Amino acid sequence: MAIKHGAAAVVLLTAVALTGCSGTTSGGTGDAAECAPADGAVTLDFTSWIPGIEDVVSIWNEENPDIQVKVQTGPNGNGGTYQNFFNQLKAGNAPDLGQIEYDALPNFRVQDGLVDLGACDFVLDAKDDFVDWTWNQVSFGEDGSAYGVPQDAGPMAMFYRSDLFEANGIPIPTTWAEYADAAEKVRALGGYITNFSQVDINQFAGFVWQAGGSWFSTSGDEWTVDLTGTESTTVADYWQDLIDRDLVASYPAWTSEWDNAYNSGEVWTWVSAVWGANSIASGAPDTAGNWSVAPQPQWKAGDEVAGNWGGSSTAVFKGSDHVYEAAKFALWLNTSDEALTALNKAANLYPATKEGLSLPALKEGVEFYGGQPIYDVFAEASGQVAPNFAWGPTMTQTYNDTSDGFKAAVSGSGTLLGALESAQKSTIEALKAQSIPVKE
Amino acid sequence: MSRIGAMLIMGVFTLYFLVPLWWLFIASTKDRSQLTTTNPLWFSDFTLFENIGRVLAYRDGVFIKWLVNSLAYAGGGALIATVLAAACGYALAKYSFPGRDLIFNVVLGGVLVPATALALPLFLIFSQINATNTFWSVFLPSLVSPFGVYLTRIYAAASVPDELLEAARLDGSGELRTFATVSLKLMFPALVTVFLFQFVAIWNNFFLPLIMLRDESFFPVTLGLYAWNSQVNQIPELRGYVLVGALLSIIPLIITFLLLQRFWRNGLGAGAVK
């Protein structure tokens, strides 16, 4: 009995490793997902942590009496819901659909937890509706595959205190070199140009993304880890220099001190994603009307490239009996105007579709930003995000290791590049430990 | 001199425990824009009642539902757990039967296993019978308290005299009746302690509901607040709601403690002056 179990486990592990990493050439690997409508009415379970998602889903339920969707909820993905998904997959009672952020998607795929929606023609037909890079996040660059439907995106731009820049005659930086110059001037006035976050490795990844780097790639069966490529090194050295010269603050992000630094005018800019608009508005209420949004600084003058920070997809889990209906719902949720408008209203979700970027709600001027129609800047940025950045299957561990190193670097022991180097090593080890083939 | 020193240390520790509560109370009375901008340890505009109103009204009063759930999980669970622990501890203390020590040792071993370590196996078991995401998936595992068995056994051995039981038997009282009318009364202080411990443990249990529950309407207040807190980036006003919610969620604990501590203190002193 014990031997049998052991053997079964080995077979299972191998299967997981194989299905996870095979077939980068042709789509529809693994089980060819059945994508046929069910005979009668079906009920789908959908887990998402978007506040107010029930209201969005109830629009669907009213229009589709035969495909009823039941919402399940919980804390955000890394706050426990991803772990729950894995537990449920193990126990065989995963929901039909779940919200998964792009950076966690490869992990679910490697664990063989996702249905390839490539079998559903109508999903593939929708490919061109989505902003190019978001589609790549769910297809992993394979033609004819879709391991989820893109939901939202986090194109980056620069939030800045227009009043302070103007009053002190400092030009708004358009390149990273100008940004460093401005940082010196701001520091001379007693402020900081920005806050370097040791914990939001996602933001740093967004910078690398903008610089043209990519941390992970697959070729054939193998993963390549590249946390220390030229682009990553450039970005790390740039920020290391600002840290060394005490030109950036280093408050832990999302804390009261952090809010206060922005609210009191100590920190002047934040290069962040579209959803950051809310973080500032809520964290720094006293500065209402003094903020503006400009494209993120460029590495080469005249370039027009943006990074991305965040975004998620709606995926269908292995074991779902109603792939067709689930795919129908996922597509409606993330492409229809009524759903996108409702999602934006409920949780400020920024759509991943091209059309969605011109929703009426995203064309209006925003009071906190002096009436500037800031979402125009982000819509522009959304089209400028490089399409090929990819995440690895062990991102939680990579984030943690990098973050540990970054914390040390900010407090003066070690460097950002050193942190990336050691995270590179530990990530390769983590992949090997899970029997995922990796190229060194 | 040493007295002053002791008082000083006690004072420091009292502050250490009270300041977070004070901060929580103060933060709950402020409106959102004042949270970061005003002195965190003193009042500005007193909007406590408006804040509470907003939390209770948010999303059709889901917070009230969570409070009720927590009371059901913790109140019901602690009550049944106490009765079970009392019966078990009493039996172990007062009857001799084969395997008694073995059972007690196994129960004692149970004290050492953290509830967190059991959550995942419990999830897999409940999955087998399709009972995850139900009230019972959180309620049933709360009904056993190895520590309660341990405490009631010790207490029953010390406070329920064998002579009394003999007398009851001679008077024709059955074992169950003796247990219910005589022994339980003698063990009451220990039972209050077990109840308190179990109530607090269930109220604060977070990991089990996190793993078991998907449906918001079954959430206890701890999980609900955690879920809100994880959404602060998207919905900034939740930051304030979490604070006020946390303040509200400790009130039942304080009430339970104040109501029961009278019995508890009596009990602890009972054996001292005999």
Side-chain angles (χ1 to χ4, degrees):
Chain A
M1 191 65 193
I3 295 169
K4 236 178 168 177
H5 263 188
V10 170
V11 171
L12 193 70
L13 273 179
T14 328
V16 168
L18 287 179
T19 46
C21 307
S22 61
T24 38
T25 44
S26 68
T29 52
D31 329 29
E34 299 268 322
C35 195
D39 287 338
V42 301
T43 305
L44 303 169
D45 284 327
F46 171 41
T47 301
S48 167
W49 57 88
I50 296 167
I53 186 84
E54 309 86 0
D55 304 338
V56 185
V57 171
S58 67
I59 303 175
W60 164 271
N61 283 343
E62 252 166 56
E63 293 170 5
N64 297 275
D66 285 347
I67 310 177
Q68 290 293 297
V69 178
K70 252 174 53 195
V71 173
Q72 307 181 327
T73 189
N76 70 18
N78 288 313
T81 296
Y82 291 148
Q83 193 50 53
N84 283 341
F85 284 157
F86 284 121
N87 294 345
Q88 291 171 308
L89 282 166
K90 203 185 303 175
N93 60 2
D96 296 285
L97 298 126
Q99 177 184 2
I100 301 179
E101 286 152 298
Y102 297 129
D103 55 353
L105 212 51
N107 196 358
F108 281 94
R109 192 190 162 194
V110 165
Q111 309 277 347
D112 198 23
L114 303 176
V115 173
D116 183 357
L117 300 177
C120 300
D121 293 336
F122 56 90
V123 174
L124 292 183
D125 291 345
K127 175 182 173 181
D128 290 334
D129 296 344
F130 291 94
V131 176
D132 296 343
W133 70 266
T134 63
W135 187 264
N136 259 348
Q137 297 283 314
V138 299
S139 71
F140 300 104
E142 299 166 16
D143 285 336
S145 286
Y147 291 87
V149 175
Q151 178 156 69
D152 66 316
M156 293 169 81
M158 181 176 72
F159 298 94
Y160 67 98
R161 285 287 298 273
S162 38
D163 60 327
L164 294 178
F165 274 95
E166 195 172 330
N168 294 290
I170 302 174
I172 312 303
T174 59
T175 65
W176 284 111
E178 288 175 21
Y179 192 76
D181 288 344
E184 272 180 39
K185 291 177 189 147
V186 173
R187 192 75 197 98
L189 294 162
Y192 287 104
I193 186 112
T194 193
N195 184 72
F196 183 79
S197 171
Q198 315 100 289
V199 285
D200 289 310
I201 305 306
N202 249 305
Q203 181 192 30
F204 188 85
F207 294 152
V208 174
W209 193 331
Q210 184 210 15
S214 176
W215 279 355
F216 293 86
S217 56
T218 48
S219 67
D221 285 353
E222 281 181 326
W223 286 82
T224 307
V225 186
D226 190 17
L227 295 179
T228 52
T230 15
E231 297 86 1
S232 302
T233 309
T234 310
V235 175
D237 288 346
Y238 177 84
W239 287 99
Q240 185 68 49
D241 175 54
L242 294 187
I243 293 168
D244 289 345
R245 292 192 285 152
D246 185 34
L247 297 181
V248 290
S250 57
Y251 298 104
W254 318 112
T255 58
S256 308
E257 299 109 290
W258 185 79
D259 280 345
N260 201 36
Y262 279 99
N263 196 35
S264 64
E266 185 186 351
V267 179
W268 290 27
T269 75
W270 188 30
V271 180
S272 179
V274 55
W275 41 261
N278 251 349
S279 307
I280 299 189
S282 66
D286 291 357
T287 58
N290 298 335
W291 288 87
S292 299
V293 179
Q296 122 181 69
Q298 301 293 315
W299 288 102
K300 268 212 307 272
D303 273 1
E304 285 179 341
V305 196
N308 175 74
W309 180 2
S312 49
S313 65
T314 311
V316 179
F317 286 109
K318 272 273 160 73
S320 168
D321 295 328
H322 305 294
V323 172
Y324 174 85
E325 287 79 10
K328 278 267 178 215
F329 167 72
L331 210 55
W332 172 87
L333 180 69
N334 299 315
T335 56
S336 75
D337 276 359
E338 49 188 344
L340 292 178
T341 307
L343 284 170
N344 183 260
K345 210 174 110 196
N348 307 301
L349 239 50
Y350 192 71
T353 58
K354 291 169 186 157
E355 291 243 317
L357 301 184
S358 42
L359 290 178
L362 296 175
K363 286 287 162 196
E364 291 161 12
V366 183
E367 207 184 316
F368 186 84
Y369 296 90
Q372 185 190 355
I374 59 168
Y375 293 105
D376 288 352
V377 181
F378 290 104
E380 195 112 323
S382 188
Q384 299 168 351
V385 176
N388 291 325
F389 193 92
W391 304 104
T394 56
M395 282 322 292
T396 316
Q397 163 270 326
T398 305
Y399 286 146
N400 286 344
D401 290 346
T402 314
S403 166
D404 286 348
F406 274 20
K407 277 179 208 150
V410 165
S411 63
S413 58
T415 61
L416 300 180
L417 189 58
L420 290 174
E421 279 163 359
S422 78
Q424 162 91 9
K425 250 185 241 148
S426 59
T427 300
I428 289 176
E429 278 163 25
L431 289 170
K432 281 185 181 161
Q434 295 190 25
S435 313
I436 300 169
V438 56
K439 197 155 111 192
E440 281 183 84
Chain B
M1 189 60 205
S2 70
R3 201 185 142 84
I4 295 175
M7 290 302 280
L8 208 69
I9 292 172
M10 298 262 283
V12 169
F13 274 94
T14 312
L15 267 183
Y16 179 80
F17 285 112
L18 288 183
V19 164
L21 271 183
W22 177 246
W23 175 85
L24 181 64
F25 176 66
I26 293 292
S28 305
T29 65
K30 292 179 180 177
D31 82 17
R32 191 154 61 84
S33 65
Q34 293 167 342
L35 261 180
T36 52
T37 53
T38 55
N39 181 350
L41 293 181
W42 199 246
F43 299 99
S44 48
D45 292 348
F46 193 85
T47 58
L48 177 63
F49 297 108
E50 289 93 321
N51 290 347
I52 292 178
R54 251 176 255 139
V55 170
L56 297 187
Y58 183 63
R59 305 257 305 277
D60 304 328
V62 71
F63 185 80
I64 298 174
K65 188 151 217 179
W66 293 342
L67 270 182
V68 172
N69 287 345
S70 268
L71 281 174
Y73 289 129
L79 199 67
I80 298 179
T82 308
V83 173
L84 288 180
C88 187
Y90 175 75
L92 286 170
K94 289 296 159 193
Y95 298 97
S96 82
F97 52 90
R100 179 167 83 151
D101 288 337
L102 181 71
I103 292 178
F104 185 62
N105 287 336
V106 169
V107 170
L108 211 54
V111 178
L112 302 176
V113 181
T116 313
L118 294 175
L120 193 53
L122 279 173
F123 173 78
L124 294 174
I125 294 171
F126 275 85
S127 293
Q128 296 273 331
I129 54 169
N130 282 327
T132 57
N133 196 24
T134 58
F135 174 83
W136 301 105
S137 65
V138 172
F139 188 73
L140 286 179
S142 309
L143 296 186
V144 287
S145 162
F147 174 75
V149 174
Y150 166 77
L151 198 77
T152 46
R153 181 197 165 153
I154 304 281
Y155 201 87
S159 70
V160 183
D162 286 337
E163 294 82 353
L164 211 58
L165 297 181
E166 299 279 322
R169 277 179 200 133
L170 283 178
D171 288 344
S173 160
E175 296 299 325
L176 266 181
R177 189 169 152 210
T178 317
F179 172 66
T181 54
V182 180
S183 311
L184 272 188
K185 270 185 196 136
L186 289 168
M187 289 162 66
F188 197 67
L191 301 189
V192 171
T193 311
V194 172
F195 180 86
L196 261 180
F197 266 89
Q198 194 65 5
F199 186 87
V200 173
I202 302 175
W203 191 274
N204 290 331
N205 191 356
F206 164 74
F207 198 61
L208 184 69
L210 171 70
I211 283 192
M212 289 287 185
L213 302 177
R214 306 281 169 269
D215 188 337
E216 208 173 41
S217 59
F218 294 130
F219 281 10
V221 72
T222 42
L223 182 57
L225 287 177
Y226 177 76
W228 276 1
N229 197 36
S230 79
Q231 292 159 352
V232 163
N233 285 350
Q234 282 169 325
I235 309 282
E237 62 262 31
L238 284 178
R239 192 188 296 263
Y241 292 0
V242 170
L243 290 171
V244 177
L247 182 72
L248 293 179
S249 78
I250 55 175
I251 291 173
L253 284 182
I254 295 177
I255 292 176
T256 317
F257 191 82
L258 290 181
L259 282 181
L260 293 180
Q261 71 153 354
R262 193 161 50 94
F263 303 103
W264 195 29
R265 278 212 310 240
N266 277 349
L268 286 182
V273 282
K274 209 172 184 178

